[in-house]
Amino acid sequence: QVQLVESGGGLVQAGGSLRLSCTASGIRSSAYAMGWFRQAPGKERGFVAAISWSGASTDYADSVKGRFTISRDNAKNTVYLQMSSLKPEDTAVFYCAARLSRSNILVTSFSSYGYWGQGTQVTVSS
């Protein structure tokens, strides 16, 4: 059984930082691309960042470029999202996702990812 578990969310002031973690079980890390998505109340789930199985390729939404960094540690079956210079508009539930792929071609649509975590709340206050 594949399971993704996010952690690291919380309440921070604008300009602060958080690091989200997603630990996977039931997955061979090198066979999966990983991504982060987020969803605010009343909004659609949107792409944040993605990383290929090897870490050689990364992709970011325009709204987070230069502020967020995605990385992975396959030995720990964990993907991270380091978030800096947080803004109130970043407030959302953040979801970790996995997609079976060993290529370096990344996709950004949530429907392309077959495995999802339960989400972790990130709240950024003014």
Side-chain angles (χ1 to χ4, degrees):
Q1 180 178 343
V2 176
Q3 186 177 46
L4 306 178
V5 180
E6 303 98 333
S7 63
L11 173 64
V12 297
Q13 296 185 50
S17 299
L18 283 174
R19 188 181 75 160
L20 306 183
S21 299
C22 173
T23 299
S25 61
I27 292 179
R28 171 176 160 79
S29 296
S30 63
Y32 287 85
M34 304 293 295
W36 287 96
F37 293 76
R38 62 185 178 184
Q39 187 168 22
K43 304 294 185 180
E44 296 182 355
R45 186 172 300 186
F47 171 75
V48 176
I51 187 168
S52 63
W53 71 269
S54 68
S57 297
T58 59
D59 194 16
Y60 298 91
D62 288 342
S63 60
V64 306
K65 287 180 179 177
R67 300 189 297 121
F68 292 9
T69 301
I70 188 170
S71 61
R72 66 190 299 166
D73 184 342
N74 287 346
K76 297 181 178 179
N77 292 322
T78 300
V79 62
Y80 305 95
L81 186 68
Q82 177 66 50
M83 305 185 294
S84 300
S85 301
L86 283 163
K87 305 174 181 179
E89 53 262 43
D90 294 319
T91 295
V93 177
F94 281 69
Y95 296 91
C96 176
R99 179 176 185 267
L100 181 63
S101 174
R102 299 191 69 178
S103 78
N104 288 317
I105 300 174
L106 301 175
V107 296
T108 61
S109 61
F110 73 85
S111 61
S112 297
Y113 290 80
Y115 303 99
W116 293 86
Q118 82 287 351
T120 185
Q121 177 71 47
V122 172
T123 302
V124 184
S125 62
S126 300

